[in-house]
Amino acid sequence: MRIICYLNEKSVPVLAALTNEGLIYSLPQKDFLELAQQAKDQSISLLHFVESAISELDPIPKPLEQLSLLVPIEAPEVWAAGVTYEKSRDARNYETTDQIIGSATFYDKVYDAKRPEIFLKSTAARTVGPNDKVFLRNDSKWQIPEPELGLVIDSRGEILGYTIGNDMSCRDIEGENPLYLPQAKIWRNSCSIGPAILLSEAVKNPYQFEITCRIYRNGEIVVEGRANTRQLKRKFDELVSYLLKDNQIFNGTVLLTGTCIVPPNEFTLADGDQIEIEISDIGVLQNTARLAKAVVPNL
């Protein structure tokens, strides 16, 4: 069972349940957090709460492909874990050592350390959803998407569901100096999530998600990569536990769990590139990369 949010014919956001059969049921709750809270108040699982609710409803007549999807949750904060896959460690080493393959750096220590790397990635105002534009920094010449599985958690760290995240990153800025990490990770429209939240109770094994990333340029695939969450060095509960240490976490926070798909070292995103991130059982997150200077800022 997945939860989505879409705009109806009156341009009003609607929360909905999406079944494995592709049927869509509009829900009365205003957002995912209200849905989760009502299930909690009734002391039943979120999955059973949704299943019970849609048993008395009729599906909407439109298929998913015809809906204008929004972010499935207005996450107050999006956090991210770094160097959780071997591929990510190797890419960070390459960036940091004047692009020498196989060199060791402090990222090897991070990969093997007890404490994981966790950093603030985005806020609700900086996060976009399916089919929205993600921006490219004007002061970077080496930018890539980072396809990641996202954990939707509550304030206690309970994993409510899983979503897809695009952790846009500047490899040159991060490689120049690790203290530049916030600038390499955080800017306007530098994070996207969606298109759905797969309820955690519907997942038998979260370490079997297939992840695929495709990048199109002028209609042709220029990058394609695949990975699986079984390649993760760390467990999800471990990452969440460190995020919660002496930290106030808000209901609906999203924690991105790291990337194992890195485009070829000579690749950088260009204005107009189409990015597709697919994770099994969740869906496909699509975004277009645009140069920030070509976009009129919101006033």
Side-chain angles (χ1 to χ4, degrees):
M1 185 72 70
R2 289 169 287 174
I3 303 299
I4 61 172
C5 188
Y6 70 93
L7 283 179
N8 66 13
E9 61 278 0
K10 297 181 180 179
S11 296
V12 175
V14 177
L15 193 72
L18 172 61
T19 69
N20 294 337
E21 296 74 28
L23 299 177
I24 300 170
Y25 297 85
S26 297
L27 299 171
Q29 291 79 12
K30 65 178 181 179
D31 56 29
F32 180 81
L33 290 180
E34 183 176 289
L35 183 74
Q37 185 61 50
Q38 290 183 6
K40 181 180 178 182
D41 291 343
Q42 296 186 27
S43 299
I44 62 175
S45 75
L46 183 52
L47 177 60
H48 290 159
F49 182 79
V50 174
E51 289 176 336
S52 176
I54 67 175
S55 67
E56 301 177 358
L57 300 173
D58 293 322
I60 67 173
K62 289 185 177 181
L64 182 67
E65 295 74 21
Q66 294 183 11
L67 297 181
S68 178
L69 295 176
L70 304 171
V71 288
I73 185 169
E74 294 281 349
E77 293 177 344
V78 178
W79 292 75
V83 202
T84 55
Y85 290 89
E86 185 177 356
K87 181 72 172 180
S88 177
R89 179 201 63 185
D90 294 344
R92 303 292 85 78
N93 284 343
Y94 180 81
E95 297 159 7
T96 307
T97 57
D98 294 325
Q99 303 177 17
I100 300 174
I101 296 176
S103 296
T105 72
F106 57 87
Y107 285 112
D108 292 278
K109 293 183 178 180
V110 172
Y111 184 73
D112 293 324
K114 179 180 179 180
R115 180 184 296 274
E117 177 195 14
I118 296 178
F119 57 90
L120 181 65
K121 167 62 187 180
S122 189
T123 58
R126 296 180 175 89
T127 305
V128 298
N131 303 310
D132 284 336
K133 299 177 181 65
V134 288
F135 291 166
L136 302 174
R137 281 191 72 114
N138 294 314
D139 56 351
S140 171
K141 299 184 182 301
W142 194 12
Q143 302 185 63
I144 61 169
E146 292 193 5
E148 308 189 17
L149 179 71
L151 313 177
V152 181
I153 63 176
D154 65 14
S155 60
R156 300 170 301 166
E158 179 182 354
I159 300 174
L160 304 176
Y162 303 92
T163 191
I164 302 173
N166 180 357
D167 171 18
M168 294 286 288
S169 300
C170 300
R171 297 189 68 181
D172 50 353
I173 295 177
E174 183 174 2
E176 183 178 350
N177 191 311
L179 297 181
Y180 295 162
L181 180 65
Q183 296 174 79
K185 292 289 188 177
I186 305 173
W187 65 91
R188 192 159 52 108
N189 288 37
S190 62
C191 178
S192 64
I193 60 172
I197 297 172
L198 175 62
L199 299 183
S200 60
E201 299 146 288
V203 178
K204 292 182 179 179
N205 185 355
Y207 302 101
Q208 289 295 330
F209 282 115
E210 294 286 345
I211 306 173
T212 304
C213 181
R214 306 178 188 91
I215 303 175
Y216 296 83
R217 184 169 295 170
N218 299 322
E220 297 184 358
I221 291 182
V222 291
V223 172
E224 184 171 16
R226 291 180 173 84
N228 191 291
T229 51
R230 65 173 173 267
Q231 298 169 267
L232 265 167
K233 174 70 180 295
R234 302 178 185 273
K235 299 299 184 183
F236 298 138
D237 289 344
E238 174 190 359
L239 296 175
V240 172
S241 70
Y242 274 92
L243 176 62
L244 264 61
K245 288 183 184 297
D246 293 314
N247 192 15
Q248 181 181 9
I249 295 301
F250 307 100
N251 287 327
T253 292
V254 172
L255 173 59
L256 304 181
T257 56
T259 191
C260 191
I261 301 175
V262 180
N265 291 324
E266 65 273 12
F267 177 83
T268 186
L269 284 167
D271 186 53
D273 283 356
Q274 304 287 324
I275 304 165
E276 285 187 358
I277 301 173
E278 180 177 1
I279 298 184
S280 55
D281 299 324
I282 300 178
V284 180
L285 176 61
Q286 298 178 318
N287 298 102
T288 301
R290 292 294 311 276
L291 287 171
K293 64 182 179 183
V295 180
V296 176
N298 295 324
L299 300 178

